[in-house]
Amino acid sequence: MALLMAEYADYDTGMHCFPSQKRIAAEIGFKSARQVRTIQQWLEVVGWLHFTGERVESDGDHQGNKIWWLTIPECPHRHDGSALPVVKD
């Protein structure tokens, strides 16, 4: 999913990445945006994403999409996959 999010980020900086969770879910084949949120949270914890605290302006009653920056983890000790989130349908 991080690679897919990278396709939506600014090419030169890795900043300003704000695809909707629905769009990411559809492109990956997930059944719900909840699965995307779980993985985004994990990617943030391990250092691959940073939520800027800002959102894209919304034209409706819902909040706009979160604006993410792609980052590189400071500590590369999670190569065995043991910290991967459990995604349930």
Side-chain angles (χ1 to χ4, degrees):
M1 189 178 91
L3 183 58
L4 179 58
M5 289 191 66
E7 292 185 21
Y8 289 96
D10 178 83
Y11 179 78
D12 293 323
T13 65
M15 299 166 75
H16 307 296
C17 177
F18 49 90
S20 72
Q21 292 171 346
K22 279 181 146 179
R23 178 181 299 267
I24 295 289
E27 290 192 31
I28 292 177
F30 286 167
K31 294 180 181 177
S32 72
R34 180 177 296 201
Q35 294 168 298
V36 173
R37 279 191 300 275
T38 300
I39 295 174
Q40 282 177 331
Q41 289 169 350
W42 178 79
L43 288 169
E44 187 174 23
V45 167
V46 297
W48 289 104
L49 286 178
H50 169 73
F51 173 48
T52 64
E54 299 178 34
R55 293 177 178 270
V56 176
E57 217 174 285
S58 173
D59 59 355
D61 294 332
H62 69 284
Q63 295 180 337
N65 300 339
K66 287 182 173 183
I67 299 176
W68 297 94
W69 291 353
L70 303 176
T71 55
I72 297 173
E74 291 181 22
C75 183
H77 297 289
R78 296 186 183 226
H79 296 287
D80 65 354
S82 62
L84 292 173
V86 175
V87 177
K88 298 179 182 178
D89 291 338

